[in-house]
Amino acid sequence: MPPLRTPQDKAIDPASIAMLEKAAADGVPDAFARADAQGKGCTFGTDGVCCRLCHMGPCRITAKSPLGVCGANADTIAARNLLREVAAGAAAHSDHGRSLVLLLKAIAEGRGGDYQIKDEHRLRTAALEWGIDIAEEDAGTRGCGDAETRRHGDAAKGESPRPPLSASPRQSAGVTPLAPREIAARLAAVFLSEFSLQEGKLKTLSLAPVQRQGVWDRHGLSPSGIDRSIVEALHRTHMGVDHDYHNLVHGALKTALADGWGGSMIATTVSDILFGTPEPVRWYANLGVLEARKVNVLVHGHEPALTEILVAATRDPEIVAAARAVGADGVNLAGICCTANEVLMRHGVPVAGNFLQQELAIVTGAVELMITDVQCCMASLPSVARCYHTQIVTTNPIARNLGAEHIEFNEHSALACAKTILHKAIANYPRRDPRKVAIPDVKHPLVAGFSNETILNMLGGTFRRSFRPLNDAIITGRIRGIAGIVGCINVRGRMDDYIVRLTRELIKRNVLVLQTGCAAVACGKQGLLTPEAALEQAGPSLREVCEAVGIPPVLHMGSCVDNSRILMAATYVVQEGGLGNDLSQLPAIGAAPEWMSEKAVAIAHYFVASGVDVVLGRPFHTLGSEALTQYLCEGLQELVGARFHYIADVDQAIETMCAHIERKRDALGINRKAERKLYDMKDRRALDV
Ligand code: BF8
Ligand code: SF4
């Protein structure tokens, strides 16, 4: 039996370590304890060779029985399991996107209740991106250009589309701009048809570089409607359908593209339209954001609609007065998981923690109420809450939990719903037991909110919005390349450790890092998301660029659906010119060091399908099939120009990622010979050109 892990083995930040110790002292089981109790896990499961797809099974593949009852071998079984994970991840992101589109539609139809469109500029630019005319031409004045051509560029001439964010609404004589609600109605209709499309390919794919679209078309990877793609993935993995592991992997890439360039892209776009496009905001992260003298309410999950209203409700005089009446100084709202990222970026609401801190936040004894919606909210929350005075409230009809109170969130009476929940939290404040309260005095400042719109403004200025300065910095080698470090944290490892070590070393080596999700919060807790981090921890030439532009060396771009922002950032870099014509040519690489969820499986697949290599700190459940693993980690290179790397060791990941970036630079011809020589000599300061 392996020795039990200490809190220091489980976490790197002092707040989490302190709360793990407190949980043990309070007799509260946490996810780490449950993971240890589970042991290493069933190797049939971790190898991906357990099949339960029909009731002739379950079948497990061993040397003695290499085929399931139906004759499926390890390659087929593991590939089917993988595709099902991608489908579930794509479904989660896309259903989140759909709920936002339905809210946009409701607003357009005057049924939006307490919601309205916050960012009309983004509404108009999105309409242009999706080929919607945002102005009605008066009779006899046609000829301003066709919306489709403006959006796509002329593919016949090999043109890439113009960076859509620089598009400005047409305003000229003879043209009447449409009212925002009319544009919203048209855009919502287009987005809904992206979900329901039965034939042809997703419109949203046309945002990608033209060359990449060609790769997808040539290999049959362009998905049709988002819902259809997910249904197809479930169909082809039903017993007795697709048995070719190559074909199943292609299905995984196609389904994932329906997520990244479809459901997630739509979720991000509509969130920006409804709640505002994020701009840099400086605030704090870690459990120290909880306040001893206030009613602490945590928002946890992923869908931002209720949380947006909660932010306003918290400041309502009625709520402030109610909090005072029970002896508190007010209500303190803080976030967990991706909802935290959403409200941090748009409202400066502090982040209490990432995924594995959801239970630890309750262990502080200072949380009156935790509101959960969908995804990554642990089943254990009510039982942990019972050890303290915390109430758990579920709000989404598809995500209930025994032991939690369910208050269904109704968008049409959102403010009333938010106030009901806040009053509940306030009423719970007097039940707090001071003997059980221990809020760790640990929080770090961070800057978040780097939407592409913001990056464009910061790099080029409001009047010359452009990625040119970034491209130039990459071409001259001041920035060696870009790394997207994203995804979860995993109880099987030491939380945040791989993510933080990888990020620190890459910025030291002058690689600009883009982050989302729990990875961003992990680095935020270590102070890496501040401009000061550039001064103290970035390599000299990256530091120079960050100082000139005023950005941190690690850019927080949002929640997990906002990985679509990273896809678009890479697309703008391609479109800006000088770094090839396709995403696969960029000196860029992705990493999901501590991933755990099916959504992360989908994200990794859409990055590889988009031509970007991805390093995984833990393998997919495919090791039981050598052929499948080899296809994912080598064979895909020929198909889509990118592949997966399973790398458990962080030092090896650092070398692999840097070598990949340098190889791409070599291929582009932007590494001068002398520079290469110096780099090989490891005198990186000499690269500060
Ligand atoms: O969607 S990074 S643990 S919170 S799955 Fe979950 Fe993973 Fe965190 Fe956000 Ni993304
Ligand atoms: Fe077994 Fe085949 Fe059924 Fe899977 S589909 S459980 S391998 S018989």
Side-chain angles (χ1 to χ4, degrees):
M1 188 141 155
L4 285 182
R5 292 188 287 172
T6 65
Q8 287 75 10
D9 296 330
K10 296 171 182 171
I12 59 170
D13 77 275
S16 296
I17 290 171
M19 288 307 100
L20 285 165
E21 283 164 352
K22 183 170 187 288
D26 291 353
V28 180
D30 56 60
F32 290 92
R34 292 191 297 273
D36 289 347
Q38 282 282 331
K40 211 165 116 309
C42 165
T43 49
F44 292 106
T46 52
D47 285 352
V49 291
C50 172
C51 183
R52 320 191 289 112
L53 292 181
C54 86
H55 285 241
M56 294 192 290
C59 300
R60 303 185 307 183
I61 300 304
T62 63
K64 273 196 186 152
S65 57
L67 299 177
V69 175
C70 67
N73 63 13
D75 308 334
T76 301
I77 290 173
R80 281 195 304 217
N81 290 340
L82 185 67
L83 173 49
R84 285 213 159 192
E85 288 186 57
V86 171
H93 283 147
S94 300
D95 219 25
H96 166 171
R98 183 203 324 273
S99 72
L100 292 166
V101 175
L102 291 174
L103 180 55
L104 179 69
K105 180 169 179 280
I107 293 169
E109 293 168 356
R111 301 181 288 108
D114 298 313
Y115 293 97
Q116 53 196 354
I117 291 163
K118 275 221 185 113
D119 192 339
E120 287 185 14
H121 181 76
R122 185 68 190 108
L123 174 72
R124 286 191 290 269
T125 55
L128 289 172
E129 285 166 27
W130 270 271
I132 295 166
D133 247 325
I134 59 171
E136 213 91 80
E137 288 175 27
D138 301 342
T141 57
R142 297 200 78 81
C144 294
D146 164 63
E148 283 290 307
T149 309
R150 281 197 311 277
R151 175 167 56 92
H152 297 297
D154 190 338
K157 293 185 204 154
E159 277 177 11
S160 276
R162 246 188 357 217
L165 293 168
S166 63
S168 57
R170 191 155 43 117
Q171 277 175 352
S172 57
V175 172
T176 311
L178 289 179
R181 267 174 51 180
E182 179 56 33
I183 300 172
R186 294 184 186 190
L187 190 59
V190 168
F191 285 155
L192 286 178
S193 71
E194 292 285 79
F195 285 89
S196 61
L197 188 69
Q198 300 299 319
E199 291 176 308
K201 56 182 183 174
L202 278 183
K203 267 184 181 223
T204 312
L205 301 177
S206 64
L207 297 177
V210 169
Q211 197 157 322
R212 185 51 29 183
Q213 294 175 48
V215 173
W216 297 334
D217 289 345
R218 267 199 307 287
H219 298 298
L221 301 178
S222 303
S224 188
I226 297 161
D227 292 348
R228 210 210 123 159
S229 302
I230 293 163
V231 169
E232 182 186 293
L234 294 179
H235 177 191
R236 70 198 290 171
T237 53
H238 184 276
M239 185 264 164
V241 184
D242 199 350
H243 298 121
D244 175 347
Y245 69 90
H246 305 92
N247 206 39
L248 286 158
V249 170
H250 302 174
L253 297 175
K254 186 165 105 170
T255 312
L257 286 171
D259 173 359
W261 291 92
S264 284
M265 188 73 73
I266 290 171
T268 297
T269 305
V270 181
S271 291
D272 288 354
I273 292 168
L274 294 181
F275 310 127
T277 302
E279 292 179 359
V281 55
R282 194 180 178 97
W283 212 247
Y284 290 93
N286 216 338
L287 295 171
V289 303
L290 298 173
E291 294 189 44
R293 298 278 312 140
K294 287 191 177 172
V295 177
N296 289 304
V297 177
L298 291 179
V299 285
H300 176 18
H302 285 77
E303 295 189 352
L306 170 62
T307 317
E308 281 288 317
I309 295 288
L310 272 165
V311 174
T314 307
R315 295 165 189 156
D316 190 298
E318 171 197 328
I319 295 295
V320 176
R324 294 239 163 91
V326 295
D329 287 350
V331 176
N332 176 39
L333 200 63
I336 297 273
C337 280
C338 280
T339 285
N341 288 319
E342 300 272 3
V343 280
L344 165 72
M345 292 192 301
R346 297 198 175 90
H347 300 288
V349 169
V351 177
N354 47 2
F355 173 63
L356 289 173
Q357 289 180 294
Q358 58 186 286
E359 295 174 317
L360 303 182
I362 297 174
V363 173
T364 63
V367 174
E368 273 57 54
L369 192 143
M370 179 185 275
I371 304 163
T372 64
D373 56 24
V374 290
Q375 304 165 23
C376 305
C377 304
M378 287 192 188
S380 63
L381 291 174
S383 58
V384 176
R386 261 196 302 278
C387 302
Y388 303 92
H389 71 302
T390 309
Q391 291 184 320
I392 308 291
V393 170
T394 56
T395 53
N396 190 303
I398 67 161
R400 297 177 73 142
N401 199 344
L402 290 179
E405 183 172 354
H406 187 71
I407 301 180
E408 196 140 318
F409 171 53
N410 179 346
E411 285 152 2
H412 309 302
S413 54
L415 188 58
C417 177
K419 284 187 180 176
T420 302
I421 295 172
L422 291 177
H423 277 299
K424 217 165 241 313
I426 291 165
N428 200 23
Y429 180 74
R431 293 183 56 236
R432 190 191 285 183
D433 181 349
R435 291 165 305 173
K436 288 190 176 177
V437 174
I439 302 174
D441 186 17
V442 182
K443 61 181 180 185
H444 266 285
L446 80 169
V447 179
F450 289 92
S451 57
N452 284 307
E453 292 78 351
T454 287
I455 296 174
L456 275 161
N457 283 341
M458 295 190 83
L459 289 173
T462 316
F463 296 107
R464 290 190 310 145
R465 309 166 84 226
S466 160
F467 269 68
R468 193 72 247 159
L470 176 61
N471 283 36
D472 288 344
I474 295 172
I475 291 167
T476 57
R478 283 178 298 157
I479 293 178
R480 305 305 303 170
I482 300 173
I485 301 179
V486 305
C488 326
I489 50 176
N490 193 314
V491 73
R492 300 287 179 177
R494 194 176 182 212
M495 69 185 272
D496 302 342
D497 188 39
Y498 192 143
I499 292 166
V500 169
R501 284 165 63 196
L502 179 62
T503 304
R504 275 216 173 99
E505 187 58 28
L506 289 183
I507 63 171
K508 198 164 131 201
R509 297 190 189 192
N510 299 307
V511 173
L512 180 69
V513 175
L514 311 181
Q515 292 194 328
T516 58
C518 288
V521 176
C523 289
K525 288 187 286 177
Q526 300 294 326
L528 285 166
L529 305 187
T530 57
E532 297 77 27
L535 290 176
E536 293 153 13
Q537 304 194 46
S541 57
L542 174 62
R543 181 173 69 215
E544 191 185 285
V545 175
C546 290
E547 277 185 307
V549 184
I551 54 172
V554 185
L555 300 183
H556 182 310
M557 296 188 81
S559 64
C560 276
V561 289
D562 293 334
N563 282 312
S564 61
R565 295 190 205 275
I566 298 183
L567 291 177
M568 288 312 300
T571 299
Y572 297 142
V573 169
V574 170
Q575 288 168 347
E576 192 58 55
L579 290 168
N581 297 317
D582 184 26
L583 302 173
S584 65
Q585 290 176 272
L586 294 177
I589 186 163
E594 302 178 36
W595 71 276
M596 66 86 201
S597 83
E598 289 167 318
K599 291 184 289 170
V601 182
I603 293 165
H605 276 80
Y606 69 64
F607 271 100
V608 166
S610 301
V612 181
D613 280 41
V614 172
V615 169
L616 298 165
R618 340 174 34 83
F620 294 137
H621 289 163
T622 63
L623 294 182
S625 164
E626 210 181 307
L628 172 63
T629 302
Q630 198 171 23
Y631 191 54
L632 293 166
C633 298
E634 289 174 27
L636 284 182
Q637 183 69 42
E638 204 184 318
L639 188 82
V640 291
R643 61 198 174 102
F644 297 101
H645 306 254
Y646 294 171
I647 307 179
D649 177 64
V650 63
D651 294 321
Q652 197 189 330
I654 292 161
E655 297 311 325
T656 300
M657 292 175 77
C658 290
H660 179 85
I661 284 171
E662 293 305 322
R663 263 198 311 278
K664 294 288 179 185
R665 295 181 60 84
D666 284 340
L668 286 166
I670 56 174
N671 267 349
R672 294 200 298 261
K673 274 187 186 149
E675 240 185 292
R676 281 293 300 159
K677 203 168 156 212
L678 287 167
Y679 183 79
D680 290 339
M681 288 161 62
K682 301 234 186 297
D683 185 355
R684 294 190 185 91
R685 274 173 309 165
L687 294 180
D688 190 12
V689 290

